[in-house]
Amino acid sequence: MEISEHLAALDREGRALAEAAASAGPDAPVPTCPGWRVRDLLRHTGMVHRWATAFVRDGHTDYRPDGGEPDLDGDDLLAWFREGHALLVDTVRAAPDDLDCWTFLPTPSPRAFWARRQAHETAVHRLDAQSALAEGPRPVDATLAADGVDELLSAFHARDRSRVRTPEPRVLRIRATDTGDVWTVRLSADAPRTTRDAEGPADCELSGPAGRLYAMLWNRLPQQAVTVTGDASLARLWRETSAITWS
């Protein structure tokens, strides 16, 4: 995906998140984030948006901690969230292509990194916000979802901090049935290694529409939401060890 496509997704997903939060109300439980209510989701996501904005706007080339979550609620909290989301979209859109600032995943450029990362940060939390509604969340667009699966597998879980590991080498395959994208994840005692291919046999395959794979791999849907063939213990391993947490 191009930067312009990630920015369009970031804009769209953030607006949808705000709309769902307004409909659900700040006290509504968020089923996909046990223990959270909508106010917690807005405070967290709004904080992340402002944290990301500062790197792009101010050109920080080293890590800076976030500014903390606000003591806001109700309409004031929703307005604060919308303001921060719009500021993030505008800031990344206006940033130069040769932007130099801190990032934490492999990327063609810092501007491309922040557009992509915040598009997916916001899309995942849009699923959370809509899970608070009776009708539940709408699937993430297939193209965006496939891109997000790639970011999760090829970037987040390529890091040494990934806990998705097996004592002996195993192979997990992820197949998006609507977009045609396929990933092969080689598991071992080291960090996973992912390639975009279907080479060789797999011990377990997870297949389904990209939007369902995206939500399942981000632990927003149960593994039963996709088709699991082969050794289902690898699907359970993913569920138990793959969580990406804020730190």
Side-chain angles (χ1 to χ4, degrees):
M1 292 178 64
E2 300 294 330
I3 293 174
S4 60
E5 295 174 296
H6 282 128
L7 283 170
L10 171 58
D11 189 21
R12 178 182 69 246
E13 296 291 331
R15 291 175 187 273
L17 192 164
E19 290 170 5
S23 295
D27 200 44
V30 180
T32 51
C33 298
W36 272 20
R37 296 186 181 272
V38 166
R39 65 171 58 86
D40 302 305
L41 180 65
L42 287 174
R43 288 169 179 169
H44 169 77
T45 312
M47 173 272 291
V48 173
H49 284 171
R50 283 169 165 75
W51 175 77
T53 297
F55 286 105
V56 178
R57 181 191 61 215
D58 300 332
H60 299 308
T61 55
D62 55 359
Y63 171 79
R64 303 292 177 93
D66 64 77
E69 297 179 4
D71 186 20
L72 296 172
D73 208 345
D75 291 344
D76 289 343
L77 175 59
L78 192 59
W80 175 85
F81 171 83
R82 285 180 163 137
E83 178 185 62
H85 167 249
L87 180 62
L88 173 61
V89 173
D90 291 345
T91 300
V92 181
R93 182 172 286 141
D97 288 335
D98 62 353
L99 170 72
D100 182 23
C101 69
W102 179 81
T103 62
F104 60 89
L105 296 175
T107 179
S109 71
R111 184 170 181 254
F113 166 81
W114 286 110
R116 185 192 205 194
R117 176 80 289 279
Q118 290 307 302
H120 292 299
E121 176 81 15
T122 307
V124 169
H125 288 315
R126 187 269 291 170
L127 293 175
D128 294 330
Q130 290 181 344
S131 78
L133 302 175
E135 60 269 29
R138 298 191 306 272
V140 171
D141 169 81
T143 299
L144 180 64
D147 180 77
V149 170
D150 189 68
E151 183 200 44
L152 184 61
L153 298 177
S154 301
F156 271 110
H157 284 287
R159 300 183 299 173
D160 288 341
R161 67 169 59 186
S162 176
R163 297 184 299 116
V164 185
R165 304 186 183 221
T166 54
E168 302 294 333
R170 307 297 299 280
V171 177
L172 175 65
R173 182 155 293 137
I174 312 295
R175 187 183 302 274
T177 54
D178 50 352
T179 66
D181 292 283
V182 183
W183 298 264
T184 297
V185 186
R186 291 174 172 83
L187 303 173
S188 68
D190 298 320
R193 293 185 299 108
T194 297
T195 53
R196 294 197 70 160
D197 58 43
E199 293 183 4
D203 297 294
C204 176
E205 178 169 305
L206 309 179
S207 61
R212 281 184 170 270
L213 288 171
Y214 181 84
M216 180 265 168
L217 292 169
W218 274 104
N219 294 320
R220 264 54 185 192
L221 283 177
Q223 68 184 54
Q224 293 82 3
V226 302
T227 300
V228 181
T229 54
D231 184 356
S233 70
L234 292 184
R236 292 193 296 273
L237 174 72
W238 181 272
R239 188 76 178 180
E240 293 167 359
T241 62
S242 67
I244 305 295
T245 58
W246 180 259
S247 59

